[in-house]
């Protein structure tokens, strides 16, 4: 098998792009209003973006590891739970999660992880001769 760095980076780039589009274009105003209602400033500095980039890379690497041992659906389920559900539990506990947003976030995040998994699962592998 070829080195996994390339497919993991491609999957991470997909995750970053998906997160950026969702949170910057679709829901940024919602997030800003929600944080404003809490008396907080929405954290959108460059350092926050870098942290989300690292999170995306970690999620892609986790998904790659899971797909080596589990089926596609099992890997997607475990990665989605570890990457998103646990994040929502923490942000909900901190009181900064807009629960109404989960109506959109759940299916979009599942789709995000599924596409990343498909990238990793179907990435061309070196053939043995």
């Amino acid at each position: 098998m070829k080195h996994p760095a390339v497919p993991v980076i491609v999957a991470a780039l997909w995750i970053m792009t998906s997160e950026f589009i969702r949170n910057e274009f679709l829901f940024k105003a919602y997030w800003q209003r929600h944080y404003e209602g809490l008396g907080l400033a929405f954290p959108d500095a460059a350092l926050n973006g870098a942290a989300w980039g690292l999170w995306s890379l970690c999620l892609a690497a986790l998904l790659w590891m899971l797909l080596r041992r589990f089926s596609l659906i099992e890997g997607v389920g475990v990665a989605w739970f570890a990457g998103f559900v646990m994040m929502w539990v923490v942000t909900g506990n901190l009181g900064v999660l807009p629960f109404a947003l989960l109506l959109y976030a759940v299916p979009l995040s599942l789709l995000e992880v599924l596409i990343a998994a498909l990238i990793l699962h179907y990435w061309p592998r070196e053939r043995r001769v």
Side-chain angles (χ1 to χ4, degrees), residues 50-69:
W52 282 112
L54 178 60
W55 176 85
S56 298
L57 183 60
C58 290
L59 182 58
L62 172 65
L63 189 52
W64 177 79
M65 288 185 277
L66 290 168
L67 292 175
R68 294 181 70 206
R69 297 204 176 6

Side-chain angles (χ1 to χ4, degrees), residues 7-24:
V8 169
I9 290 170
V10 171
L13 289 171
W14 157 251
I15 294 168
M16 283 183 242
T17 302
S18 176
E19 288 292 316
F20 181 79
I21 290 169
R22 188 168 63 242
N23 291 309
E24 196 65 28

Side-chain angles (χ1 to χ4, degrees), residues 4-114:
V6 173
V8 169
I9 290 170
V10 171
L13 289 171
W14 157 251
I15 294 168
M16 283 183 242
T17 302
S18 176
E19 288 292 316
F20 181 79
I21 290 169
R22 188 168 63 242
N23 291 309
E24 196 65 28
F25 295 116
L26 298 178
F27 301 120
K28 186 169 186 172
Y30 187 91
W31 278 108
Q32 289 172 327
R33 282 191 308 274
H34 178 72
Y35 268 71
E36 187 178 293
L38 297 172
L40 300 169
F42 180 69
D44 62 354
L47 190 55
N48 299 102
W52 282 112
L54 178 60
W55 176 85
S56 298
L57 183 60
C58 290
L59 182 58
L62 172 65
L63 189 52
W64 177 79
M65 288 185 277
L66 290 168
L67 292 175
R68 294 181 70 206
R69 297 204 176 6
F70 299 103
S71 73
L72 184 68
I73 297 302
E74 291 169 330
V76 167
V78 173
W80 179 76
F81 185 85
F84 285 95
V85 175
M86 291 175 60
M87 175 180 55
W88 295 329
V89 169
V90 170
T91 55
N93 183 53
L94 292 173
V96 295
L97 177 65
F99 288 99
L101 195 59
L102 290 178
L103 179 65
Y104 305 100
V106 168
L108 290 173
S109 62
L110 276 167
L111 182 63
E112 177 180 310
V113 175
L114 176 61

